Amino acid sequence: MVIALLPTLIATSCQGEDDIEAIFNGKTWYITGGCINGTNISGNDLKSLYTNDNSYFITFASATFGGALVAGSNIGGTWKANGKDHSIYLNFQQAENVAMSALSNNIYNVLKNAQHYSGDVNVLKIMQDNYNFIRLSAKKTTNGF
């Protein structure tokens, strides 16, 4: 009887692991909102995310990421994520002009200190903690989620 349950236990234990390749590799994520120090990013700040097509996005490749926060900024470095415990680590090797606005500086700090992620291939949340996180979407949208 124990042997009969073994395939069920193995299948159940594997279902909790995210497909990191599908979620991150080759994907561009657009920042659609978040929370800074327990306060949601305001409507006016959300509108500012989309004043320029070349801003507020992150693109992930197999071990690297790149993107821009505000127009004229560049971010990049290496990343790793664990689909089992949903941990994420972004090692910034480039962070040019990220403090051009308070919003971009806050988003940079959350990403730099990120510890966990949640989501799937359509929506993603990168979290420093429960009070500081960034929401992202696989599609650029002006109305968040």
Side-chain angles (χ1 to χ4, degrees), residues 47-109:
K47 287 178 188 175
S48 77
L49 295 177
Y50 296 100
T51 58
N52 187 310
D53 286 339
N54 296 319
S55 61
Y56 295 101
F57 70 91
I58 303 170
T59 300
F60 290 90
S62 62
T64 61
F65 71 91
L69 297 181
V70 293
S73 72
N74 290 302
I75 58 172
T78 59
W79 69 276
K80 61 183 171 181
N82 182 315
K84 201 171 255 186
D85 68 5
H86 302 124
S87 62
I88 189 167
Y89 175 71
L90 302 172
N91 178 28
F92 282 82
Q93 296 165 339
Q94 179 182 19
E96 297 172 0
N97 300 321
V98 296
M100 289 176 66
S101 76
L103 178 61
S104 65
N105 193 52
N106 286 332
I107 290 172
Y108 167 70
N109 284 322

Side-chain angles (χ1 to χ4, degrees), residues 6-25:
L6 190 57
T8 304
L9 291 173
I10 292 171
T12 303
S13 66
C14 293
Q15 290 175 354
E17 189 167 344
D18 286 347
D19 183 350
I20 296 299
E21 295 286 320
I23 295 172
F24 292 98
N25 281 344

Side-chain angles (χ1 to χ4, degrees), residues 18 23-24 86 116-120 123-127:
D18 286 347
I23 295 172
F24 292 98
H86 302 124
H116 298 283
Y117 77 91
S118 64
D120 56 31
V123 294
L124 186 65
K125 184 159 86 170
I126 297 180
M127 300 168 279

